[in-house]
């Protein structure tokens, strides 16, 4: 993307002001953004907003929009709560240099079909924090089309959860052709299936019945693209979900 | 616009275009170790360190470098040469185009990781693609380097 101007505002209100002009865009890790062929406008850098921290409160982790995927991958508290799942789910996204730059805010804003991040966060009951102050359940945020909202972070409630994650890539470093996360919490079972190639969607079995969950997951729409066929993806969804469910059955509840 | 940053320990000032990446600026400043290969954040050939952490300079916005500390292979030549000897012994280098970015990430890995299991090393270096060697010879070179001279590399 060939910006003609650059700004690193000191307040989110200044960002909102700059966003009023359609050509101006927020640049986070700039990994996806730079691939778009647009030109002109101001690159809005969020580096001065202090949104690059993970805060821990009594009942939640508040992750700033500018936190890198590498910081999430290595975060002790998040990994403790999920039995190391943040490390497992994010480590296959390109490479360390890439994850040092790619951000949580950029990943959520894109709502990409292939997103490991979206698939991982959906079963964790996460909420997207917007500026001006507004909190939207990630499930609703993900379902909406990408907009020009300003994401300031994401909130993950602390919880007792058993959660498992699996993804399949045609080649290492490539985007996944199917992503799957399954979780057990308070007698409830849920799963997120992504890269269908549509974006990740959550299904639930309120009665905690794995067969019911599997049925609902396989009723989601699957599709064909250059990376995989609909038939193959549906098959992968069944296999990966069964494995994730097995892991959540066998696994110990990770520490809260 | 003008930016000022530390490049390999020296203060520099550069005139940059708001839309350009750090890679272009560094090459203009005469830093020829970094290569532009994929230009889409996939291959690792353009790896530099920003404040000590490996970053892809093809995607790093040049204006963001203002005030940062940028390190390239030129500043690490003694360590790099020692490691390169192990690569040469193992035939882990053919066209050499991926080499500077790969070495930058190997040296970063040595500083960041505490356990060098095969899996940890492979995961850390997964973002450095090499179209010539097939990776096995690179990993042999790393294992031998870590067991030898590399043991002390990066220690203050
Ligand atoms: C080669 C490549 C391979 C990839 N592989 C994977 C993969 O395997 N798995 C995976 O999960 N992801 C993958 N991704 C996506 C990647 O992980 C990041 O999600 C993506 O690059 C966006 O993050 P970013 O910080 O670079 O955002 P940018 O590219 O800077 O921005 C992306 C979009 O988000 C907007 N934006 C950024 N921050 C905010 C904010 N705070 N508020 C509002 N809007 C914002 C920008 O304006 C832009 O429209 C891949 C991307 C690339 C380029
Ligand atoms: S040139 Fe930057 S990652 Fe390939
Ligand atoms: S030696 Fe040729 S790409 Fe690695």
């Amino acid at each position: 993307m060939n910006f003609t101007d650059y700004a690193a505002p000191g307040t989110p209100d200044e960002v909102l002001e700059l966003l009023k002009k359609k050509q101006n865009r927020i640049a986070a890790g700039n990994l996806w953004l730079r691939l778009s062929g647009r030109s002109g406008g101001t690159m809005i850098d969020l580096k001065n907003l202090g949104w690059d921290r993970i805060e821990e409160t009594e009942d939640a982790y508040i992750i700033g929009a500018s936190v890198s995927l590498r910081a999430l991958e290595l975060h002790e508290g998040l990994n403790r709560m999920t039995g190391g799942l943040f490390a497992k789910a994010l480590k296959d996204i390109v490479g360390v240099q890439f994850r040092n730059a790619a951000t949580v805010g950029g990943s959520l804003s894109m709502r990409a079909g292939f997103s490991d991040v979206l698939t991982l966060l959906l079963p964790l009951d996460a909420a997207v924090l917007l500026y001006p102050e507004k909190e939207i359940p990630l499930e609703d945020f993900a379902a909406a089309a990408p907009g020009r909202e300003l994401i300031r972070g994401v909130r993950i409630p602390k919880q007792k959860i058993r959660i498992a994650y699996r993804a399949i890539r045609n080649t290492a470093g490539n985007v996944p052709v199917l992503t799957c996360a399954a979780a057990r919490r308070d007698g409830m079972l849920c799963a997120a299936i992504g890269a269908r190639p549509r974006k990740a969607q959550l299904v639930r079995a309120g009665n905690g019945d794995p067969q019911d969950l599997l049925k609902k997951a396989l009723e989601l729409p699957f599709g064909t693209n250059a990376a995989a066929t609909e038939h193959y993806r549906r098959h992968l969804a069944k296999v990966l979900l069964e494995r994730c469910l097995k892991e959540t059955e066998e696994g110990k509840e990770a520490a809260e | 616009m003008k930016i000022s940053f530390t490049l390999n320990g020296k203060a520099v000032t550069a005139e940059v275009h708001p839309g350009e990446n750090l890679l272009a600026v560094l090459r203009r400043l005469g830093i020829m170790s970094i290569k532009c290969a994929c230009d889409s954040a996939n291959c690792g050939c353009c790896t530099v360190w920003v404040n000590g952490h490996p970053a892809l300079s093809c995607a790093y916005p040049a204006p963001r470098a203002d005030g940062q500390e940028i390190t390239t292979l030129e500043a690490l030549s003694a360590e790099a040469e020692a490691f390169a000897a192990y690569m040469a012994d193992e035939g882990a280098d053919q066209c050499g185009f991926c080499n500077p970015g790969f070495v930058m990430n190997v040296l970063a890995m040595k500083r960041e990781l505490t356990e060098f299991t095969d899996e940890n090393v492979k995961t850390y270096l997964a973002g450095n693609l090499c179209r010539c060697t097939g990776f096995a010879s690179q990993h042999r070179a790393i294992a031998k380097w870590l067991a030898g001279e590399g043991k002390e590399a990066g220690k203050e």
Side-chain angles (χ1 to χ4, degrees), chain A residues 25-35 46 51 65 69 92-94 98 101-107 109-110 114-117 149-152 169 173-176, chain B residues 40-42:
Chain A
R25 298 293 289 269
I26 295 170
N30 194 38
L31 297 155
W32 195 258
L33 183 65
R34 71 183 298 273
L35 299 178
L46 306 183
W51 290 354
L69 298 189
D92 292 325
I93 302 178
V94 192
F98 184 99
T103 65
V104 176
S107 301
S109 167
M110 278 173 61
F114 56 72
S115 180
D116 291 287
V117 180
E149 64 278 275
L150 174 56
I151 301 168
R152 76 176 166 84
R169 290 168 157 78
N174 215 331
V175 296
Chain B
S40 58
N42 274 291

Side-chain angles (χ1 to χ4, degrees), chain B residues 23 35-47 56-59:
Chain B
L23 189 153
K35 306 284 184 263
C36 185
C38 70
D39 200 18
S40 58
N42 274 291
C43 74
C45 284
C46 62
T47 302
L56 300 173
S57 61
C58 72

Side-chain angles (χ1 to χ4, degrees), chain A residues 26 64-65 88 123 125 127 141 156 182 217 241 253:
Chain A
I26 295 170
K88 181 180 175 187
D125 215 9
F141 180 87
I156 301 177
L241 183 51
E253 214 148 72

Side-chain angles (χ1 to χ4, degrees), chain B residues 73-104:
Chain B
L73 196 63
E74 281 77 355
L76 300 161
S77 50
E79 243 180 279
E81 264 174 45
F83 173 58
Y86 287 81
M87 287 184 71
D89 283 351
E90 295 301 323
D93 194 13
Q94 290 182 26
C95 79
F97 205 74
C98 66
N99 194 323
F102 175 69
V103 174
M104 285 303 285

Side-chain angles (χ1 to χ4, degrees), chain A:
Chain A
M1 189 148 177
N2 202 2
F3 290 101
T4 47
D5 224 331
Y6 170 88
T11 68
D13 288 318
E14 289 170 69
V15 176
L16 290 180
E17 197 54 39
L18 283 163
L19 278 176
K20 282 183 184 160
K21 203 167 159 200
K22 220 174 159 198
Q23 263 191 323
N24 300 348
R25 298 293 289 269
I26 295 170
N30 194 38
L31 297 155
W32 195 258
L33 183 65
R34 71 183 298 273
L35 299 178
S36 73
R38 301 164 192 243
S39 63
T42 299
M43 172 188 280
I44 311 169
D45 193 332
L46 306 183
K47 71 174 185 183
N48 292 328
L49 299 184
W51 290 354
D52 55 356
R53 287 187 280 271
I54 301 179
E55 281 168 41
E56 187 175 348
T57 67
E58 210 165 288
D59 58 358
Y61 292 98
I62 315 287
I63 300 160
S66 305
V67 167
S68 71
L69 298 189
R70 179 79 174 147
L72 268 196
E73 173 190 347
L74 298 177
H75 193 268
E76 216 177 293
L78 289 167
N79 276 308
R80 203 180 328 113
M81 183 172 86
T82 58
L85 217 67
F86 276 78
K88 181 180 175 187
L90 302 178
K91 75 173 173 41
D92 292 325
I93 302 178
V94 192
V96 163
Q97 310 98 308
F98 184 99
R99 299 194 300 281
N100 275 340
T103 65
V104 176
S107 301
L108 294 179
S109 167
M110 278 173 61
R111 300 164 168 93
F114 56 72
S115 180
D116 291 287
V117 180
L118 209 52
T119 310
L120 169 68
L121 296 186
L122 274 168
L124 287 169
D125 215 9
V128 179
L129 310 174
L130 299 181
Y131 186 90
E133 301 305 320
K134 192 172 174 188
E135 191 168 323
I136 306 178
L138 177 60
E139 193 177 0
D140 298 342
F141 180 87
R148 283 177 67 80
E149 64 278 275
L150 174 56
I151 301 168
R152 76 176 166 84
V154 60
R155 168 185 222 283
I156 301 177
K158 286 187 179 168
Q159 53 200 287
K160 279 209 156 63
I161 190 167
R162 287 185 193 180
I163 180 166
Y165 187 89
R166 298 221 172 205
I168 293 278
R169 290 168 157 78
N170 284 344
T171 55
N174 215 331
V175 296
V177 293
L178 201 94
T179 57
C180 173
R184 261 170 216 279
R185 186 180 41 230
D186 305 329
M188 200 267 289
L189 257 186
C190 69
I193 313 285
R196 296 175 286 114
R198 298 185 195 193
K199 58 194 165 189
Q201 205 174 320
L202 204 54
V203 287
R204 294 182 182 81
N207 55 5
D209 176 8
Q211 288 312 314
D212 184 35
L213 189 75
L214 204 57
K215 183 170 168 287
K216 285 180 175 153
L218 297 180
E219 280 167 4
L220 288 170
F222 291 82
T224 297
N225 65 6
T229 61
E230 175 192 349
H231 178 75
Y232 180 51
R233 284 195 159 96
R234 200 180 295 279
H235 176 72
L236 285 180
K238 179 172 182 295
V239 174
L240 296 194
L241 183 51
E242 280 172 347
R243 288 181 187 171
C244 282
L245 285 169
K246 196 155 178 267
E247 273 180 58
T248 62
E249 252 165 53
E250 287 167 357
K252 286 199 187 77
E253 214 148 72
E256 201 176 328

